[in-house]
Amino acid sequence: MMILQYLFNFNKYSIHIQPYITLTTLTLILTTLFLNIQTTTTTMTTTTTTTTREHHHPLSRPITISNDTPSHILSVYWISIPSGNYVKQSSDLLYPLGKLTINSYVGHEFALVEVEGPCVVSSPANRRKVEEGGDDRLCKEARFVVSESQNQVVEITDDGEEGEMKASLIDDSSRSSRAADAIVASCFSGVAAGSPPSVEECVHSRVSSEVSRLNARLALEKEIRTSMASMLEEYTCDDPSLNTTSPVSSDAWGYVRVADGVKERQRDVDVLFDTERVKIHVVHDFISPEECAAVEAVTRKGLA
């Protein structure tokens, strides 16, 4: 094993590479660095969504499925627990080199099932029939389980010559591992070939470049969020033709007059938006013509 001694200092990300570090340890250190940056990027990206949707389930995750096979046409099924039954998730088929985005929850399992030719899904009942000598053929499939990571992409690829498929879950952790592997492999092979002069210099240069790229991405996303917020605010406030959104809930509101204890009539209230930071409640018939006239009569002298 080659021995490295180096100190990386990139803003708040500080990594100390001690003497006698191994290739495996170096790869792990770089993976951790990139994962920390990826996590920061994800946190900044999702801040606006979390703020405006505080009732969003903490285990909910969007997943992009990429069919990277040249010929398989796929259908997406959720695997019900504990029955193992297949529940179709979309009427849309996923064609070769196509992509499909679904929303699910951490721990849910899915199957990408081929739709070519006569076959049946691998449910417990169908598997028993096939095992008992039935004529049905089980469809080829690839399965994956939703992880806790953000930014999940499932890549479906061919696996062998029998038309089998495999599903690879790509998330921030695997992306970081790939980036670290690429840097370490490139630097060690480059040094062996005589360029660059040392592993230390190569790793420093490659990591600096990667951190700069991710920092530029963070800055761009921050700029986009800031500009979008301003544009959306102007759009919603300046367009009188926009329809009011459907209420999240409806309720009734009434009160008792302090002066004489008379219970006022109930008003219908529509809750359009309700978070800790922003609340939009519409009170219908908030004031009657008679009440409005009484208020005007009391305040008229002060306005004269």
Side-chain angles (χ1 to χ4, degrees):
M1 286 289 183
M2 296 190 67
I3 298 172
L4 297 179
Q5 181 179 7
Y6 209 82
L7 166 65
F8 291 120
N9 241 321
F10 298 110
N11 300 328
K12 67 176 181 178
Y13 303 107
S14 182
I15 292 181
H16 297 269
I17 298 184
Q18 302 296 338
Y20 308 107
I21 191 170
T22 65
L23 174 59
T24 301
T25 305
L26 174 61
T27 303
L28 180 60
I29 289 173
L30 295 180
T31 300
T32 304
L33 168 66
F34 293 138
L35 182 57
N36 285 337
I37 301 175
Q38 291 280 2
T39 302
T40 302
T41 305
T42 298
T43 301
M44 293 184 64
T45 303
T46 58
T47 296
T48 303
T49 303
T50 304
T51 301
T52 56
R53 295 184 61 192
E54 293 180 5
H55 299 296
H56 182 70
H57 197 285
L59 296 180
S60 176
R61 296 289 185 275
I63 306 102
T64 299
I65 304 171
S66 178
N67 183 359
D68 295 340
T69 68
S71 59
H72 288 295
I73 301 174
L74 307 174
S75 188
V76 183
Y77 289 85
W78 170 62
I79 309 300
S80 177
I81 301 296
S83 67
N85 292 328
Y86 283 52
V87 181
K88 196 170 186 178
Q89 294 300 289
S90 174
S91 59
D92 296 329
L93 296 177
L94 184 54
Y95 289 91
L97 306 182
K99 297 181 185 296
L100 178 67
T101 299
I102 61 175
N103 290 296
S104 188
Y105 296 89
V106 173
H108 282 199
E109 185 176 14
F110 290 86
L112 285 304
V113 181
E114 67 168 351
V115 298
E116 310 101 293
C119 62
V120 295
V121 297
S122 299
S123 64
N126 289 338
R127 286 199 300 270
R128 282 194 299 270
K129 291 179 181 179
V130 172
E131 291 169 359
E132 293 170 357
D135 295 331
D136 290 329
R137 178 179 70 87
L138 296 179
C139 299
K140 292 183 172 62
E141 65 174 41
R143 292 193 179 194
F144 71 91
V145 177
V146 180
S147 75
E148 294 185 358
S149 300
Q150 302 286 347
N151 304 323
Q152 298 179 53
V153 176
V154 178
E155 297 177 349
I156 309 300
T157 56
D158 285 331
D159 186 21
E161 299 179 357
E162 301 299 324
E164 300 295 333
M165 301 175 293
K166 66 177 180 180
S168 302
L169 182 62
I170 310 300
D171 56 15
D172 287 344
S173 178
S174 57
R175 292 186 190 95
S176 301
S177 180
R178 286 182 177 182
D181 287 342
I183 288 178
V184 172
S186 174
C187 288
F188 273 76
S189 62
V191 169
S195 175
S198 69
V199 172
E200 291 90 343
E201 292 180 13
C202 175
V203 172
H204 181 274
S205 175
R206 293 288 299 275
V207 172
S208 296
S209 176
E210 184 68 13
V211 171
S212 297
R213 184 186 69 80
L214 292 173
N215 281 336
R217 175 182 166 188
L218 288 174
L220 175 62
E221 291 180 352
K222 181 178 180 180
E223 180 183 354
I224 291 174
R225 285 197 310 277
T226 303
S227 60
M228 283 181 62
S230 176
M231 293 169 60
L232 287 173
E233 181 179 3
E234 293 180 2
Y235 173 70
T236 54
C237 294
D238 291 348
D239 190 349
S241 65
L242 283 178
N243 295 325
T244 302
T245 57
S246 299
V248 176
S249 62
S250 297
D251 204 347
W253 170 72
Y255 66 95
V256 177
R257 293 198 311 230
V258 177
D260 52 17
V262 174
K263 187 176 182 179
E264 286 288 343
R265 62 185 175 85
Q266 296 279 324
R267 271 85 167 175
D268 294 326
V269 180
D270 286 336
V271 180
L272 303 182
F273 201 83
D274 191 9
T275 68
E276 290 185 4
R277 299 186 181 187
V278 180
K279 300 181 184 294
I280 303 177
H281 296 189
V282 177
V283 182
H284 296 279
D285 299 323
F286 178 73
I287 187 169
S288 67
E290 294 78 13
E291 290 169 331
C292 187
V295 172
E296 290 178 347
V298 171
T299 58
R300 186 172 289 114
K301 293 181 179 179
L303 296 175

